[in-house]
Amino acid sequence: DARDASGDDDSSGDDEGPTKRAAGPPCAVCGEAASKYRCPRCELRTCSATCVGAHKAASGCSGKRDTARYSSLPNFDDTQLLRDYRFL
């Protein structure tokens, strides 16, 4: 009898292991795969190193975050605070 500690029947056979994370939005360069990476400078989402290279070549983006970018107080949110904190 395959019962767990709570007494529920666990013999369904659906043993997929750990829960997988939901796929991100599609890649902004190829549009074929789910995005895995985000450009630190322009926040464009890409799926692979090939698409990152294509993005940099097409847009001239350096891929390096602009650490001195001005943000007005009304636009300053928790995400920007965390980025600055992690940078320091």
Side-chain angles (χ1 to χ4, degrees):
D1 193 17
R3 292 186 184 266
D4 62 8
S6 65
D8 294 334
D9 188 9
D10 192 24
S11 60
S12 62
D14 295 334
D15 189 19
E16 295 182 19
T19 305
K20 293 184 180 181
R21 215 167 26 158
C27 176
V29 177
C30 70
E32 295 176 7
S35 62
K36 297 179 185 176
Y37 311 103
R38 184 186 313 245
C39 178
R41 183 155 189 97
C42 64
E43 299 188 5
L44 185 85
R45 299 192 72 128
T46 54
C47 66
S48 65
T50 304
C51 287
V52 169
H55 156 63
K56 288 181 177 181
S59 67
C61 180
S62 67
K64 294 182 180 177
R65 181 175 176 254
D66 183 10
T67 57
R69 178 177 63 193
Y70 174 76
S71 181
S72 63
L73 191 55
N75 294 328
F76 194 79
D77 58 4
D78 290 340
T79 304
Q80 289 180 332
L81 177 66
L82 282 174
R83 285 182 183 167
D84 288 348
Y85 178 77
R86 290 178 183 143
F87 175 72
L88 295 175

CSV table of all heavy atoms in Angstrom, one decimal, residues 53-76:
chain,number,residue,atom,x,y,z
A,53,GLY,N,24.9,37.6,-28.4
A,53,GLY,CA,25.9,38.2,-29.3
A,53,GLY,C,25.2,38.9,-30.5
A,53,GLY,O,25.6,40.0,-30.9
A,54,ALA,N,24.1,38.3,-31.0
A,54,ALA,CA,23.3,38.9,-32.0
A,54,ALA,C,22.7,40.3,-31.6
A,54,ALA,O,22.7,41.3,-32.3
A,54,ALA,CB,22.2,38.0,-32.5
A,55,HIS,N,22.2,40.3,-30.3
A,55,HIS,CA,21.7,41.5,-29.8
A,55,HIS,C,22.7,42.6,-29.7
A,55,HIS,O,22.5,43.8,-30.1
A,55,HIS,CB,21.1,41.2,-28.4
A,55,HIS,CG,21.0,42.4,-27.5
A,55,HIS,ND1,20.2,43.5,-27.7
A,55,HIS,CD2,21.6,42.7,-26.3
A,55,HIS,CE1,20.4,44.4,-26.8
A,55,HIS,NE2,21.2,43.9,-25.9
A,56,LYS,N,23.9,42.3,-29.2
A,56,LYS,CA,25.0,43.3,-29.0
A,56,LYS,C,25.4,43.8,-30.4
A,56,LYS,O,25.7,45.0,-30.6
A,56,LYS,CB,26.2,42.7,-28.3
A,56,LYS,CG,25.9,42.5,-26.8
A,56,LYS,CD,27.1,41.9,-26.1
A,56,LYS,CE,26.9,41.8,-24.6
A,56,LYS,NZ,28.1,41.2,-23.9
A,57,ALA,N,25.5,42.9,-31.4
A,57,ALA,CA,26.0,43.3,-32.7
A,57,ALA,C,24.9,44.2,-33.4
A,57,ALA,O,25.3,45.2,-34.0
A,57,ALA,CB,26.2,42.0,-33.6
A,58,ALA,N,23.7,43.8,-33.3
A,58,ALA,CA,22.6,44.6,-34.0
A,58,ALA,C,22.3,45.9,-33.3
A,58,ALA,O,22.1,46.9,-34.0
A,58,ALA,CB,21.3,43.8,-34.0
A,59,SER,N,22.4,46.0,-32.0
A,59,SER,CA,22.0,47.2,-31.3
A,59,SER,C,23.2,48.1,-30.9
A,59,SER,O,23.0,49.3,-30.5
A,59,SER,CB,21.2,46.9,-30.1
A,59,SER,OG,21.9,46.2,-29.1
A,60,GLY,N,24.4,47.5,-30.8
A,60,GLY,CA,25.6,48.3,-30.3
A,60,GLY,C,25.6,48.3,-28.8
A,60,GLY,O,26.3,49.1,-28.2
A,61,CYS,N,24.8,47.6,-28.2
A,61,CYS,CA,24.7,47.5,-26.7
A,61,CYS,C,25.9,46.9,-26.1
A,61,CYS,O,26.4,45.9,-26.6
A,61,CYS,CB,23.5,46.7,-26.3
A,61,CYS,SG,23.2,46.7,-24.5
A,62,SER,N,26.5,47.5,-25.1
A,62,SER,CA,27.7,47.0,-24.5
A,62,SER,C,27.4,45.9,-23.5
A,62,SER,O,28.3,45.1,-23.2
A,62,SER,CB,28.4,48.1,-23.7
A,62,SER,OG,27.6,48.5,-22.6
A,63,GLY,N,26.2,45.8,-23.0
A,63,GLY,CA,25.9,44.7,-22.1
A,63,GLY,C,26.3,45.0,-20.7
A,63,GLY,O,26.1,44.2,-19.8
A,64,LYS,N,26.8,46.2,-20.4
A,64,LYS,CA,27.3,46.5,-19.1
A,64,LYS,C,26.3,47.5,-18.5
A,64,LYS,O,25.9,48.5,-19.1
A,64,LYS,CB,28.7,47.2,-19.1
A,64,LYS,CG,29.7,46.2,-19.6
A,64,LYS,CD,31.1,46.8,-19.6
A,64,LYS,CE,32.1,45.7,-20.0
A,64,LYS,NZ,33.5,46.3,-20.1
A,65,ARG,N,25.9,47.3,-17.3
A,65,ARG,CA,24.9,48.1,-16.6
A,65,ARG,C,25.5,49.5,-16.4
A,65,ARG,O,26.6,49.7,-16.0
A,65,ARG,CB,24.6,47.5,-15.2
A,65,ARG,CG,23.6,48.3,-14.5
A,65,ARG,CD,23.2,47.6,-13.2
A,65,ARG,NE,22.3,48.4,-12.4
A,65,ARG,CZ,22.6,49.0,-11.3
A,65,ARG,NH1,23.8,48.9,-10.8
A,65,ARG,NH2,21.7,49.8,-10.7
A,66,ASP,N,24.6,50.5,-16.7
A,66,ASP,CA,25.0,51.9,-16.4
A,66,ASP,C,24.8,52.2,-15.0
A,66,ASP,O,23.7,52.5,-14.5
A,66,ASP,CB,24.1,52.8,-17.3
A,66,ASP,CG,24.5,54.3,-17.2
A,66,ASP,OD1,25.5,54.6,-16.6
A,66,ASP,OD2,23.7,55.1,-17.7
A,67,THR,N,25.9,52.2,-14.2
A,67,THR,CA,25.8,52.3,-12.8
A,67,THR,C,25.5,53.7,-12.3
A,67,THR,O,25.0,53.9,-11.2
A,67,THR,CB,27.1,51.9,-12.1
A,67,THR,OG1,28.2,52.6,-12.6
A,67,THR,CG2,27.4,50.4,-12.3
A,68,ALA,N,25.7,54.7,-13.2
A,68,ALA,CA,25.4,56.1,-12.8
A,68,ALA,C,24.1,56.6,-13.4
A,68,ALA,O,23.9,57.8,-13.4
A,68,ALA,CB,26.6,57.0,-13.2
A,69,ARG,N,23.3,55.8,-13.9
A,69,ARG,CA,22.0,56.2,-14.5
A,69,ARG,C,21.2,56.9,-13.5
A,69,ARG,O,20.9,56.4,-12.4
A,69,ARG,CB,21.3,55.0,-15.0
A,69,ARG,CG,19.9,55.3,-15.7
A,69,ARG,CD,19.3,54.1,-16.3
A,69,ARG,NE,19.0,53.2,-15.2
A,69,ARG,CZ,18.6,51.9,-15.4
A,69,ARG,NH1,18.6,51.4,-16.6
A,69,ARG,NH2,18.4,51.1,-14.4
A,70,TYR,N,20.6,58.1,-13.8
A,70,TYR,CA,19.8,58.8,-12.9
A,70,TYR,C,18.4,58.3,-12.9
A,70,TYR,O,17.8,57.9,-13.9
A,70,TYR,CB,19.7,60.3,-13.4
A,70,TYR,CG,18.8,61.1,-12.6
A,70,TYR,CD1,19.1,61.6,-11.3
A,70,TYR,CD2,17.5,61.4,-13.1
A,70,TYR,CE1,18.2,62.3,-10.6
A,70,TYR,CE2,16.6,62.2,-12.3
A,70,TYR,CZ,17.0,62.6,-11.1
A,70,TYR,OH,16.1,63.3,-10.3
A,71,SER,N,17.8,58.2,-11.7
A,71,SER,CA,16.5,57.8,-11.5
A,71,SER,C,15.8,58.8,-10.6
A,71,SER,O,16.3,58.9,-9.5
A,71,SER,CB,16.4,56.4,-11.0
A,71,SER,OG,15.1,56.0,-10.8
A,72,SER,N,14.7,59.4,-11.0
A,72,SER,CA,14.0,60.3,-10.2
A,72,SER,C,13.4,59.6,-9.0
A,72,SER,O,13.1,58.4,-9.1
A,72,SER,CB,13.0,61.1,-11.0
A,72,SER,OG,12.0,60.2,-11.5
A,73,LEU,N,13.1,60.3,-8.0
A,73,LEU,CA,12.5,59.7,-6.8
A,73,LEU,C,11.2,59.0,-7.0
A,73,LEU,O,11.0,57.9,-6.5
A,73,LEU,CB,12.4,60.7,-5.6
A,73,LEU,CG,12.1,60.2,-4.2
A,73,LEU,CD1,13.1,59.1,-3.8
A,73,LEU,CD2,12.1,61.3,-3.2
A,74,PRO,N,10.3,59.6,-7.8
A,74,PRO,CA,9.0,58.8,-8.0
A,74,PRO,C,9.2,57.5,-8.8
A,74,PRO,O,8.4,56.6,-8.6
A,74,PRO,CB,8.2,59.8,-8.8
A,74,PRO,CG,8.8,61.1,-8.6
A,74,PRO,CD,10.2,60.9,-8.3
A,75,ASN,N,10.3,57.4,-9.5
A,75,ASN,CA,10.6,56.2,-10.3
A,75,ASN,C,11.5,55.2,-9.6
A,75,ASN,O,11.7,54.2,-10.1
A,75,ASN,CB,11.2,56.6,-11.7
A,75,ASN,CG,10.2,57.3,-12.5
A,75,ASN,OD1,9.0,57.1,-12.5
A,75,ASN,ND2,10.7,58.2,-13.3
A,76,PHE,N,12.0,55.6,-8.4
A,76,PHE,CA,12.9,54.8,-7.7
A,76,PHE,C,12.1,53.8,-6.9
A,76,PHE,O,11.3,54.1,-6.0
A,76,PHE,CB,13.7,55.7,-6.7
A,76,PHE,CG,14.9,55.0,-6.1
A,76,PHE,CD1,16.1,54.8,-6.9
A,76,PHE,CD2,14.9,54.5,-4.9
A,76,PHE,CE1,17.2,54.1,-6.4
A,76,PHE,CE2,16.0,53.8,-4.3
A,76,PHE,CZ,17.1,53.7,-5.1
